[in-house]
Structures are given as structure tokens and as C-alpha cells.
Amino acid sequence: EVQLLESGGGLVQPGGSLRLSCAASGLTFSTYAMNWVRQAPGKGLEWVSGISGSGAITFFADSVKGRFTISRDNSKSTLYLQMNSLRAEDTAVYYCAKAVLDFFGVVKIDYYYMDVWGTGTTVTVSS
Amino acid sequence: EIVLTQSPGTLSLSPGERATLSCRASQSFSSSYLAWYQQKRGQAPRLLIYGSSSRATGIPDRFSGSGSGTDFTLTISRLEPEDFAVYYCQYYGRSPFTFGPGTKVDIK
């Protein structure tokens, strides 16, 4: 069974930094692209960032571009989200979610929808 | 960027009734790139449908998806008590992989 466990959330002041981690188990981690998705209190889902299995390709929502960095350590089966210059509007539950892999013949294709989700870690940006 | 709009915002129905949820996109895209999720209060989302109409593993066949171009639909044929939740559509063809604002299905 694939499991994802986020950690690293907490209370941080505006302008501060935080690094989230997501430990994965039950899968060959390096095979799969991964995502971060967040949900502000009482609001809907917002896709934040995605990264390919190798880590070579990354994607960001405009709302976090230039402030957040996504990375992964495949030897540790761990995904990271480095969040800098945090704002009040970054307050949310942050979910780690696995993307889907498929093949077109021998060509590997990553589809950035999410078939496995973690339970989330809460980030609060407040003074 | 593709913007997704979901309607209605809230759908009030009784168990056993049929639910029809709409997801409309700001521009046309392949039906291969539309997913639906269910989220219950206090829980992480769960994948229901991908590729507009393919059910994810373990999803009951009362859930079905359809659509093309800019208009997509999630149908729950007969609502069970556990189906009352919030439902989101998501586009995943090209970054940014946006979500719609959600439709809440609550008990009438």
C-alpha cells in the first residue's frame, strides 16, 4: 500500500521560511512524479507545484512562483517544498500527492492528477 | 491558464436521488485531461474519475463522468449517505494543473 506522510508544518511569521517534507512508502518513489496541493481554511483545493520522477522537471502555480521550490531525494523516498517569503495567504493545509504514470508504447508519460494523497500538514503564516 | 468553473455551488438532494455536477473550462481541451475528486470534511481528497470518464480503482459504478471540449459532468446515479461531500474537477493537460472551486452535495 502506498503511503504518504507530510511533516514540517507550523506557525511562521510573514516573510519567513518553512520546509515541508513528504515521506513516501510502498512504491518505487523515483518512478513517479509528485505534487503539492494546498487548501486554505474553508476554501477549495489549489495545486501548488509538481516535479517529475527524476526531479529534472518542475512546475509551479503563479501564486508561488519565485518563492517556493520543489525538490526530491529519491534515495530517501522524500519530497520537499521549500517555502520562502511566506504571506498570510499561504496559510493552508498542504497535501503531498502522487501523480500517475502511464506508457504510450515505450514512452513514459506523467499525468499530473493525483491517485494517492497524504493526510496533510498545516502551515499558518501569522505575526 | 485554463480556469475551471463548477456549478452549482451547492446541490441539496436526498439519498437515492441522482446528482449531476458540472465543470466548465475557459478553453477547450482533450477529455483525456479531466479528473474528479471527492473530499469529505476533515479528510484528504480521493480520486474518483480520470480521463473524464474512467473510474479510479475501487470507485463504485454509481459514479460516472462524461464530457468533452469545455463541458464536463460528474453523475452520481443514486446518492448513498457516504456520497454527501465536496466534489472538485481538475485539469491536468499542461501546467498549471488547476482545480475548480468545488460543488458541495449536501442532504436536503
Side-chain angles (χ1 to χ4, degrees):
Chain A
E1 180 192 6
V2 177
Q3 291 190 322
L4 304 172
L5 182 63
E6 302 93 337
S7 61
L11 175 63
V12 60
Q13 292 188 339
S17 298
L18 211 56
R19 188 177 84 155
L20 305 184
S21 300
C22 170
S25 60
L27 77 169
T28 304
F29 184 67
S30 60
T31 301
Y32 297 96
M34 298 292 293
N35 294 278
W36 287 100
V37 176
R38 68 185 180 183
Q39 187 167 36
K43 304 297 185 183
L45 301 174
E46 180 186 13
W47 174 80
V48 172
S49 184
I51 186 169
S52 64
S54 67
I57 302 171
T58 59
F59 306 99
F60 296 93
D62 286 347
S63 58
V64 306
K65 202 171 290 184
R67 300 187 299 123
F68 289 12
T69 303
I70 189 171
S71 63
R72 62 193 297 159
D73 185 338
N74 287 340
S75 69
K76 296 181 178 179
S77 296
T78 302
L79 174 71
Y80 301 101
L81 185 68
Q82 177 67 43
M83 305 185 294
N84 299 329
S85 303
L86 282 162
R87 307 166 179 167
E89 54 264 36
D90 296 317
T91 294
V93 175
Y94 284 74
Y95 295 102
C96 162
K98 173 185 161 290
V100 174
L101 170 67
D102 204 347
F103 288 88
F104 186 76
V106 296
V107 176
K108 175 187 171 218
I109 301 174
D110 293 320
Y111 292 102
Y112 285 82
Y113 65 96
M114 300 93 181
D115 64 345
V116 181
W117 295 67
T119 55
T121 188
T122 300
V123 173
T124 303
V125 184
S126 174
S127 53
Chain B
E1 173 178 339
I2 289 181
V3 177
L4 299 178
T5 303
Q6 291 186 242
S7 61
T10 301
L11 194 54
S12 296
L13 294 169
S14 300
E17 289 193 296
R18 181 184 187 90
T20 303
L21 287 66
S22 172
C23 176
R24 181 161 290 178
S26 59
Q27 54 187 283
S28 180
F29 60 86
S30 168
S31 61
S32 299
Y33 302 127
L34 195 283
W36 290 92
Y37 301 84
Q38 176 193 68
Q39 187 180 32
K40 298 179 181 179
R41 183 180 295 275
Q43 297 184 16
R46 176 175 73 145
L47 176 67
L48 297 176
I49 300 285
Y50 62 94
S52 294
S53 60
S54 298
R55 273 187 300 277
T57 302
I59 301 303
D61 61 7
R62 64 180 181 273
F63 291 92
S64 64
S66 63
S68 64
T70 60
D71 292 302
F72 300 89
T73 300
L74 174 70
T75 302
I76 310 171
S77 58
R78 288 179 57 86
L79 282 164
E80 298 288 341
E82 62 268 26
D83 299 336
F84 291 92
V86 182
Y87 293 84
Y88 297 93
C89 56
Q90 184 217 357
Y91 163 75
Y92 56 90
R94 174 178 283 191
S95 178
F97 307 117
T98 51
F99 287 91
T103 290
K104 182 178 182 181
V105 179
D106 67 11
I107 299 177
K108 189 173 183 180

